[in-house]
């Protein structure tokens, strides 16, 4: 007897994979799918009831290091579009979840998904919209200057300028060529897990408080997926201080939004993502 097909059949696609032997690896790109998913133990409860596969991400073409610049985001976004198309054409999945804090290739992937009536979600987009359900304004706590500007670009692109109070920078850059990785994020994560504190967590707490007190934020959103591990620790610290403010991270938001869209039986609007020859067309687009 075959096992029943679950209601949710998702493909999770990592933003990229690095070639073996590089000096900048922050997660596994091979092996069991659970080992290739950042913070799997935190995300695991949100995967219950989902039949899911994970793609490690297309090999990078911008260089053998993580993504921070706009050039790199465009490169990895373009590289994973064929993965989205192949997944949609396979008939195996009823939603695609794009992993990675900077949403590379997301809008283009949604266009592909709509051609197959399959919803596509991404981390920053899902966080920002979820934040809008929880408070009037949100602030993004992010890792470094170049990544901040990708998040800034997404705030503009997603028309969230009236909702986003600020982008706050803890200055823990991703590893890459040309600069010393003096404060590795993985080390900060391990310190926090072992002792409950670290410099990166302290910086995130400080910037979150500033976002609340100075910028008017009522919800905190985490920027880079390499910092999503902060969520439970940052939430706990803020509540201990007395700030009753939700802290969001992208994987759980993107999974939850994907489930909601499957439940509703909808995907992206055909007016936002029209085919080359739509059955109906509009004479005028207004803002």
């Amino acid at each position: 007897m075959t096992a029943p097909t679950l209601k949710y059949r998702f493909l999770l696609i990592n933003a990229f994979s690095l070639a073996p032997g590089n000096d900048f690896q922050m997660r596994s790109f091979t092996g069991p799918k659970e080992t290739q998913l950042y913070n799997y133990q935190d995300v695991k409860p949100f995967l219950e009831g989902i039949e899911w596969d994970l793609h490690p991400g297309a090999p990078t073409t911008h260089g053998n290091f993580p993504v921070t610049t706009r050039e790199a985001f465009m490169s990895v976004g373009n590289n994973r579009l064929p993965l989205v198309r192949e997944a949609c054409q396979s008939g195996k999945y009823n939603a695609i979840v794009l992993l990675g804090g900077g949403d590379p290739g997301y809008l283009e992937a949604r266009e592909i998904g709509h051609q197959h009536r399959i919803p596509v979600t991404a981390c920053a987009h899902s966080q920002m919209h979820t934040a809008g359900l929880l408070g009037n304004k949100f602030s993004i706590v992010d890792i470094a200057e170049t990544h901040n500007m990708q998040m800034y670009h997404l705030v503009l692109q997603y028309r969230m300028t009236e909702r986003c109070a600020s982008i706050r920078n803890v200055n823990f850059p991703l590893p890459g060529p040309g600069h010393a990785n003096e404060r590795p994020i993985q080390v900060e994560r391990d310190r926090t897990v072992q002792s409950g504190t670290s410099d990166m967590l302290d910086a995130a707490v400080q910037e979150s408080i500033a976002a609340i007190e100075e910028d008017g934020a009522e919800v905190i959103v985490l920027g880079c997926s390499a910092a999503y591990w902060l969520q439970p620790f940052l939430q706990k610290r803020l509540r201990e201080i007395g700030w009753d403010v939700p802290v969001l991270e992208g994987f759980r938001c993107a999974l939850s939004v994907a489930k909601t869209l499957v439940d509703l039986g909808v995907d992206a609007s055909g007016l936002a993502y029209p085919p080359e020859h739509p059955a109906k067309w509009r004479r005028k687009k207004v803002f």
Side-chain angles (χ1 to χ4, degrees):
M1 175 181 272
T2 59
T5 301
L6 296 180
K7 179 179 181 179
Y8 306 114
R9 295 172 283 108
F10 294 178
L11 177 65
L12 284 55
I13 305 179
N14 273 319
F16 59 88
S17 62
L18 301 180
N22 74 87
D23 297 324
F24 310 113
Q25 183 167 323
M26 299 179 67
R27 61 172 172 83
S28 175
F29 301 105
T30 58
K33 61 184 179 181
E34 293 82 1
T35 66
Q36 299 184 53
L37 181 61
Y38 273 139
N39 315 313
Y40 171 69
Q41 290 303 321
D42 290 339
V43 180
K44 182 179 178 180
F46 290 80
L47 291 166
E48 291 181 4
I50 301 175
E51 185 178 328
W52 64 284
D53 294 324
L54 183 138
H55 193 288
T60 57
T61 52
H62 70 274
N64 202 21
F65 47 87
V67 178
T68 56
T69 65
R70 292 190 183 189
E71 177 187 4
F73 272 107
M74 178 174 285
S75 175
V76 299
N78 183 65
N79 290 344
R80 70 176 174 181
L81 294 182
L83 306 179
V84 173
R85 182 173 292 106
E86 180 181 357
C88 290
Q89 292 173 344
S90 72
K92 293 173 59 178
Y93 308 106
N94 57 10
I96 309 295
V97 178
L98 302 182
L99 306 180
D103 290 3
Y106 170 53
L107 298 184
E108 295 77 14
R110 268 214 303 190
E111 182 177 70
I112 296 170
H114 178 67
Q115 295 169 8
H116 299 269
R117 299 293 180 177
I118 294 176
V120 178
T121 65
C123 294
H125 189 263
S126 296
Q127 283 195 88
M128 292 183 199
H129 282 81
T130 302
L133 300 174
L134 305 175
N136 293 301
K137 288 201 169 187
F138 64 86
S139 281
I140 301 170
V141 174
D142 196 29
I143 59 166
E145 187 72 12
T146 49
H147 202 278
N148 295 166
M149 295 314 298
Q150 173 65 10
M151 302 309 295
Y152 187 97
H153 167 69
L154 294 181
V155 168
L156 295 175
Q157 189 173 49
Y158 297 159
R159 305 180 72 172
M160 288 285 176
T161 52
E162 293 187 3
R163 289 279 192 175
C164 184
S166 60
I167 298 172
R168 288 278 179 167
N169 184 6
V170 299
N171 196 33
F172 278 79
L174 295 173
H179 65 82
N181 189 22
E182 297 174 352
R183 300 191 294 176
I185 291 176
Q186 310 97 297
V187 173
E188 295 296 306
R189 181 186 184 279
D190 291 343
R191 286 175 180 165
T192 306
V193 171
Q194 293 166 10
S195 66
T197 189
S198 67
D199 291 344
M200 187 172 177
L201 175 58
D202 289 344
V205 172
Q206 177 181 341
E207 295 304 329
S208 296
I209 293 172
I212 295 164
E213 295 182 342
E214 300 172 22
D215 307 333
E218 298 171 350
V219 180
I220 299 299
V221 167
L222 293 170
C224 180
S225 58
Y228 286 173
W229 63 267
L230 284 166
Q231 191 277 333
F233 303 102
L234 181 56
Q235 183 75 83
K236 181 174 182 290
R237 287 277 293 272
L238 290 176
R239 285 178 176 167
E240 289 173 348
I241 294 166
W243 289 117
D244 185 11
V245 174
V247 177
L248 302 177
E249 66 87 42
F251 289 178
R252 282 170 274 188
C253 287
L255 286 167
S256 298
V257 171
K259 290 174 72 174
T260 297
L261 297 179
V262 170
D263 289 343
L264 293 172
V266 297
D267 68 286
S269 169
L271 297 181
Y273 298 93
E276 291 189 32
H277 302 287
K280 292 282 189 180
W281 52 272
R282 296 169 290 172
R283 292 174 52 221
K284 181 180 180 181
K285 283 80 177 174
V286 296
F287 295 91

